[in-house]
Amino acid sequence: MGIKLKTSEQYELRAQVAKALAHPSRLLMIDALGQKELCVGELTEILGVDQSTVSKHLVILKQAGLVGVRNEKAKSIYSLKACCLEGFWQCIESVLRDNLACQQKAVGNQLGNS
């Protein structure tokens, strides 16, 4: 057949990371943590949501292996572990631009046929 596929477990693990990325608040948190380490309070302020919501998002990101945490005095300081996401974001932006161009072309064709 010539197609080399991963195991179902590997796809499950990939899906776990993809699910962790599939929320706008978590994407914002990843972006902020990519710029500097932050504590829960700082992330709460950035997101404009309550601390328990931020903590729940952090658990998901940590379980997916995207963020790490270290304790400093009475604070938990979070950092981005997955520093390889820049290429991923560039890919997503490229897909979005291509989709937008196709949508604009389709709308233009529809308007031209009216």
Side-chain angles (χ1 to χ4, degrees):
M1 184 156 104
I3 297 175
K4 185 152 176 113
L5 301 174
K6 308 280 185 206
T7 66
S8 60
E9 183 179 85
Q10 288 170 309
Y11 289 116
E12 287 292 329
L13 293 170
R14 283 183 177 185
Q16 180 183 4
V17 174
K19 286 177 188 177
L21 293 170
H23 193 284
S25 293
R26 291 194 288 270
L27 293 178
L28 190 155
M29 292 168 74
I30 286 171
D31 205 20
L33 291 170
Q35 295 177 41
K36 69 180 243 181
E37 295 182 328
L38 298 165
C39 67
V40 174
E42 292 168 317
L43 287 165
T44 299
E45 190 174 312
I46 290 168
L47 267 70
V49 297
D50 60 273
Q51 187 172 339
S52 66
T53 300
V54 169
S55 294
K56 289 175 188 174
H57 285 308
L58 286 168
V59 166
I60 292 167
L61 291 171
K62 190 175 173 212
Q63 286 174 340
L66 295 167
V67 301
V69 62
R70 66 180 170 80
N71 294 321
E72 188 176 282
K73 298 179 185 172
K75 288 186 177 180
S76 295
I77 308 295
Y78 290 85
S79 61
L80 184 64
K81 280 178 58 177
C83 298
C84 58
L85 290 171
E86 191 57 40
F88 181 68
W89 304 136
Q90 289 173 358
C91 177
I92 288 175
E93 295 297 327
S94 175
V95 169
L96 292 172
R97 279 191 300 276
D98 289 348
N99 283 345
L100 179 59
C102 288
Q103 290 170 355
Q104 288 173 331
K105 185 177 178 182
V107 169
N109 288 340
Q110 270 188 325
L111 293 176
N113 292 332
S114 299

